[in-house]
Amino acid sequence: MSEKLASSRWSRLMPVIFITYSLAYLDRSNYSLGAAAGMAKDLNITASASAFLAALFFLGYFFFQVPSASYAQRRSAKKLIFYALILWGILASCIGIVTNIWVLFVIRFAIGIVEAAIMPAMLILLSNWFTSGERSKANTFLILGNPVTVLWMSVVSAYLVSSVGWRWMFIIEGLPSIIWAFVWLRMIDNSPNDAKWLSAGQKKDINDEFAREQVGLHAVPNYREAFKQKAVIQLCIQYFFWSIGVYGFVMWLPSIIKTASSFDIVIIGWLTAIPYLLATVLMVVASFFSDRLLKRKLFIWPFLLVAAVAFYASYLVGTSNFWLSFILLVIAGGAMYAPYGPFFAIVPEILPKNVAGGAMALVNSFGALGSFAGAYFVGFLNNVTGSNDASYIFMALSLIIAVVFTIVVKAVSTPDFKLQGTIPAASTSAPALQ
């Protein structure tokens, strides 16, 4: 595949995809800062109700993952994301005008339903455009929208809250998604075949590359059979426990810092941003070497192990040394994010194209359940115990379980090939996933 073709895909698609996922992550995660900045007090939200509200998003997200993937794969990922952008922007802005906690419950759940379309549709879209040797990097550029968004959101949202209040923060931060929907519609194509900016020869090169990648993969007729695959089940369990750590951390880090310090909301916002700066660097490094070496597991479980150890060490330090405990949390946060690109490159390499999207959605839906558990139980444990110690142990143990399932998962990947995409045409066997 020519460098010119590769360059045109990256420069045309990835900036739009990155911004779109960033906006999605903004409207799901700014709740944590709003809660720490006075929303709970103004709406008379108890600590247990606040924990449930933080987690409720992920229930809606869980139930609609596979249906969203089915629609995106069979019809149009582009249109699905267009409508989702508009709807979640409206819903996110509506949080700024609610006066009733029950309405807030409904809105948080509805945002989860709408945003359920994003991750599976994006992964399917990327698999339509980028080859196996590029997929970890492409996935990383997508998911970088997560830590990069939290990086700037933590600071910008803190300043908005301090200047105009939490209500206007939600209203202002929901509007960009609505406007961006029309940029998305104009710039994105579902596949190379739909792209007017590619020549016929370039389209053929890409399609030939994808055809070669399917060599050696066993036929799987439908989603039901794909979901029975042992490797898919193991990946679901792994991602469930991994997500407990990630979203326990994401949703409650501002509150954890506030509890352990006497800083004002602006300083808390700056401190909250630091782990995501490290996460951004580690994600790029992990995806680069994963694609270069065509190894996936090797760039997943060591990072999760480091995060588990960092959480446990932060528990041991306790409140005796805030800055040491905070540095350990920074390490935990960065390490938890690092493996996303390699992880989501696995499924398209072990299942044929007709079912890979649904399998990725299933894995991601179990991640949503883990996210619910992490967001809820970390808040619950912090409230019941009056400290962060129990939640640190909870997140550390969850990550250890994720490490175990990463190591034991056995899958078969596509035959070994170079980044340029040359696959031996006669090959019918493949090495075990590494």
Side-chain angles (χ1 to χ4, degrees):
M1 187 173 295
S2 69
E3 288 297 322
K4 182 180 179 181
L5 174 59
S7 175
S8 66
R9 289 174 300 139
W10 291 101
S11 60
R12 170 87 180 200
L13 301 173
M14 292 313 302
V16 181
I17 288 171
F18 173 83
I19 292 172
T20 302
Y21 191 69
S22 295
L23 291 172
Y25 206 80
L26 167 66
D27 289 334
R28 82 171 69 164
S29 61
N30 57 5
Y31 172 83
S32 60
L33 202 65
M39 179 172 67
K41 180 180 178 181
D42 291 348
L43 296 180
N44 297 314
I45 302 172
T46 65
S48 59
S50 183
F52 185 67
L53 275 166
L56 189 60
F57 165 91
F58 297 105
L59 283 184
Y61 197 78
F62 167 75
F63 287 114
F64 287 86
Q65 284 282 303
V66 175
S68 297
S70 178
Y71 181 93
Q73 192 153 34
R74 296 178 184 180
R75 304 187 72 174
S76 174
K78 172 183 174 178
K79 289 184 178 179
L80 181 63
I81 294 174
F82 168 73
Y83 292 121
L85 276 161
I86 294 173
L87 288 173
W88 91 56
I90 293 172
L91 289 167
S93 291
C94 284
I95 294 177
I97 61 175
V98 299
T99 57
N100 187 306
I101 187 175
W102 297 105
V103 176
L104 190 57
F105 281 134
V106 173
I107 290 176
R108 285 291 294 176
F109 184 73
I111 291 176
I113 292 174
V114 174
E115 286 199 25
I118 299 304
M119 193 62 167
M122 285 290 197
L123 291 172
I124 288 169
L125 193 71
L126 290 176
S127 70
N128 289 341
W129 278 99
F130 296 98
T131 66
S132 288
E134 304 165 317
R135 206 161 284 142
S136 178
K137 186 168 70 171
N139 291 342
T140 293
F141 275 110
L142 164 66
I143 302 169
L144 271 175
N146 176 324
V148 170
T149 298
V150 180
L151 181 64
W152 65 260
M153 179 210 74
S154 301
V155 177
V156 172
S157 296
Y159 277 107
L160 284 174
V161 165
S162 65
S163 58
V164 297
W166 65 266
R167 290 188 179 276
W168 276 106
M169 178 198 75
F170 283 111
I171 293 170
I172 291 170
E173 291 183 349
L175 295 177
S177 297
I178 302 171
I179 299 169
W180 186 256
F182 296 93
V183 177
W184 168 270
L185 193 65
R186 173 69 178 83
M187 295 295 293
I188 295 296
D189 298 290
N190 278 308
S191 70
N193 292 334
D194 299 329
K196 295 180 181 179
W197 46 275
L198 289 177
S199 68
Q202 290 173 323
K203 293 176 183 180
K204 182 178 183 302
D205 287 343
I206 296 173
N207 289 326
D208 287 348
E209 186 68 24
F210 289 142
R212 284 194 293 270
E213 288 182 3
Q214 299 299 299
V215 174
L217 289 177
H218 298 291
V220 180
N222 52 48
Y223 281 176
R224 177 175 295 187
E225 292 302 314
F227 295 169
K228 293 179 182 178
Q229 300 288 319
K230 186 176 181 180
V232 173
I233 295 171
Q234 290 171 329
L235 289 172
C236 286
I237 298 171
Q238 189 270 10
Y239 199 43
F240 172 85
F241 285 102
W242 178 6
S243 296
I244 286 177
V246 171
Y247 281 91
F249 180 85
V250 169
M251 298 305 294
W252 294 107
L253 183 59
S255 296
I256 288 171
I257 295 173
K258 184 178 181 181
T259 301
S261 70
S262 57
F263 299 129
D264 64 28
I265 193 64
V266 173
I267 298 299
I268 290 172
W270 279 101
L271 292 176
T272 299
I274 294 174
Y276 303 99
L277 179 61
L278 177 61
T280 301
V281 175
L282 292 180
M283 286 178 72
V284 172
V285 172
S287 68
F288 174 82
F289 285 103
S290 177
D291 276 346
R292 191 175 188 86
L293 301 175
L294 289 175
K295 297 180 185 295
R296 306 308 183 193
K297 289 169 56 174
L298 185 62
F299 292 94
I300 299 172
W301 70 261
F303 285 108
L304 300 184
L305 182 60
V306 168
V309 172
F311 273 129
Y312 184 69
S314 189
Y315 155 74
L316 293 178
V317 172
T319 58
S320 63
N321 189 326
F322 170 79
W323 290 111
L324 178 56
S325 179
F326 177 71
I327 290 170
L328 290 167
L329 289 179
V330 170
I331 294 171
M336 280 192 298
Y337 272 94
Y340 273 117
F343 180 80
F344 280 107
I346 291 175
V347 172
E349 294 176 356
I350 64 175
L351 290 173
K353 193 175 183 65
N354 64 306
V355 294
M360 286 189 289
L362 182 70
V363 172
N364 201 46
S365 69
F366 274 82
L369 274 186
S371 302
F372 175 87
Y376 179 76
F377 283 107
V378 168
F380 175 79
L381 290 170
N382 289 346
N383 176 51
V384 169
T385 63
S387 75
N388 304 319
D389 291 352
S391 61
Y392 290 164
I393 293 295
F394 176 59
M395 289 186 282
L397 289 175
S398 297
L399 291 172
I400 290 295
I401 296 172
V403 167
V404 171
F405 273 93
T406 306
I407 292 172
V408 302
V409 64
K410 294 186 183 300
V412 176
S413 66
T414 52
D416 199 8
F417 58 98
K418 303 296 183 184
L419 290 182
Q420 288 78 7
T422 57
I423 296 181
S427 177
T428 57
S429 62
L433 190 69
Q434 300 182 60

